[in-house]
Amino acid sequence: ICGLLRPLYEEKIRDRYVWYVKGLMPDSRHRSQYRNCIQYLKKICQYPGREEIVRNLARDWKQTYTTRRAMKEELEQAGF
């Protein structure tokens, strides 16, 4: 069933992942939480429009959370 529904709802699914991960990052404080957010970025990468969305999320996080060194390291290590 997922194979049938995904093409119909790709953008909605992607947008839901974006909405969810945006809500996770403000409360994230540990490497494991940053890695969890990065896993969602990787899921978003499977959907249309992914490059710009993921690049913007990573850039925004780096600019917003300037004191989170571990977050920046994890993003860099994941290629974001």
Side-chain angles (χ1 to χ4, degrees):
I1 270 199
C2 288
L4 298 172
L5 294 178
R6 183 173 172 177
L8 297 173
Y9 298 103
E10 279 185 323
E11 289 182 13
K12 288 185 179 190
I13 295 168
R14 180 203 62 207
D15 293 344
R16 180 56 69 168
Y17 280 136
V18 170
W19 172 82
Y20 182 72
V21 77
K22 280 182 174 181
L24 284 179
M25 187 53 79
D27 296 325
S28 297
R29 297 284 187 268
H30 306 285
R31 281 188 190 271
S32 61
Q33 293 170 313
Y34 300 143
R35 289 182 192 130
N36 184 44
C37 290
I38 289 168
Q39 289 302 314
Y40 279 98
L41 291 183
K42 290 178 181 179
K43 285 184 182 190
I44 294 166
C45 284
Q46 299 172 7
Y47 293 90
R50 61 193 172 259
E51 293 90 5
E52 185 178 349
I53 291 169
V54 170
R55 186 175 38 247
N56 289 340
L57 280 172
R59 185 196 66 229
D60 291 348
W61 289 344
K62 289 176 185 178
Q63 291 174 351
T64 302
Y65 307 111
T66 56
T67 59
R68 295 186 184 180
R69 190 187 81 224
M71 178 202 69
K72 292 178 187 178
E73 289 173 0
E74 293 296 329
L75 285 168
E76 292 298 323
Q77 184 177 1
F80 300 111

